Amino acid sequence: APAAANTRATTPADIVREVSDSGLRGRGGAAFPTGRKWRTVLEQEAPRKYITCNADEGDSGTFADRLLLEGDPLAVIEGMVIAGLAVGAAQGYLYLRIEYPHARRVLKEALAAARAAGLLGDDILGSGRRFDLEVRLGAGAYICGEETSMLESLEGRRGEVRVRPPLPAVRGLFGMPTVVNNVVTFASVPAILAQGAGRYRD
């Protein structure tokens, strides 16, 4: 996990700035600037913050998330860890489409490998900082592909769209500041940190 190792030596603001400078935008379709979302969560004062990955890929004929989760799950995991370090979150949830049983098995193995390597847990790569990650299965509701419906489902309620404002970055999961990004977005982050914002931007 070279990007996470490099991230250990930088400040949260540095990480957010690098992601902002890269021009990375939400790859789930909305194309909202990722760095702006992360900066908003970073700036919030709250007892807890959360990282959530929306892997409820419900549109017909779409398989980008599944292919990434099955083919390179550690890139997604590492991206979520970096996000946690960047905004001060200690817990993450990957909301997985229930129709992806193979992705679930692959993620279980990848999470075990990440913990064994020190990429998850109470002391990430010797940094003294904590971040852990859980996979939660969606209930097959198409509406939970929308971020606030996904948050409702993660909280144990029926997936329904929340009225905004407040945005999830201000008041999201369990009423706390929350990063919500797509699988492809998180998977892009390690390369940005390892190779530099300029290369991704170019």
Side-chain angles (χ1 to χ4, degrees):
N6 293 340
T7 302
R8 180 176 42 167
T10 62
T11 69
D14 289 336
I15 301 170
V16 172
R17 186 178 307 110
E18 192 78 0
V19 172
S20 295
D21 290 348
S22 74
L24 178 65
R25 289 176 172 267
R27 299 292 301 277
F32 189 85
T34 303
R36 188 184 306 170
K37 181 181 292 186
W38 288 19
R39 184 180 300 111
T40 301
V41 177
L42 172 63
E43 292 172 349
Q44 304 305 307
E45 293 186 9
R48 294 180 308 281
K49 298 177 182 180
Y50 295 100
I51 306 299
T52 59
C53 178
N54 192 336
D56 192 59
E57 188 175 42
D59 289 325
S60 299
T62 55
F63 301 104
D65 293 354
R66 179 177 66 83
L67 291 174
L68 255 175
L69 291 169
E70 294 176 2
D72 195 3
L74 288 172
V76 182
I77 292 168
E78 188 177 358
M80 294 183 71
V81 172
I82 292 169
L85 295 174
V87 306
Q91 181 64 46
Y93 296 97
L94 192 150
Y95 188 86
L96 180 65
R97 183 178 178 183
I98 196 169
E99 292 91 350
Y100 286 173
H102 183 59
R104 183 185 183 187
R105 289 192 296 269
V106 171
L107 278 167
K108 182 178 180 180
E109 295 174 4
L111 287 170
R115 287 194 182 91
L119 190 59
L120 293 172
D122 293 331
D123 187 19
I124 302 170
L125 299 176
S127 67
R129 301 183 63 183
R130 179 188 183 280
F131 185 82
D132 214 338
L133 180 58
E134 294 181 27
V135 174
R136 295 286 179 89
L137 294 181
Y142 178 79
I143 189 63
C144 288
E146 191 276 333
E147 62 179 6
T148 63
S149 297
M150 180 194 73
L151 296 177
E152 288 286 303
S153 180
L154 279 171
E155 291 180 7
R157 291 189 291 274
R158 182 172 62 184
E160 293 183 335
V161 177
R162 293 179 180 175
V163 175
R164 287 171 285 190
L167 297 170
V170 176
R171 184 179 171 85
L173 188 63
F174 304 118
M176 298 296 162
T178 302
V179 168
V180 183
N181 279 132
N182 167 262
V183 170
V184 183
T185 307
F186 281 122
S188 302
V189 171
I192 291 170
L193 270 290
Q195 301 171 9
R199 181 166 182 174
Y200 184 90
R201 185 176 61 247
D202 292 344

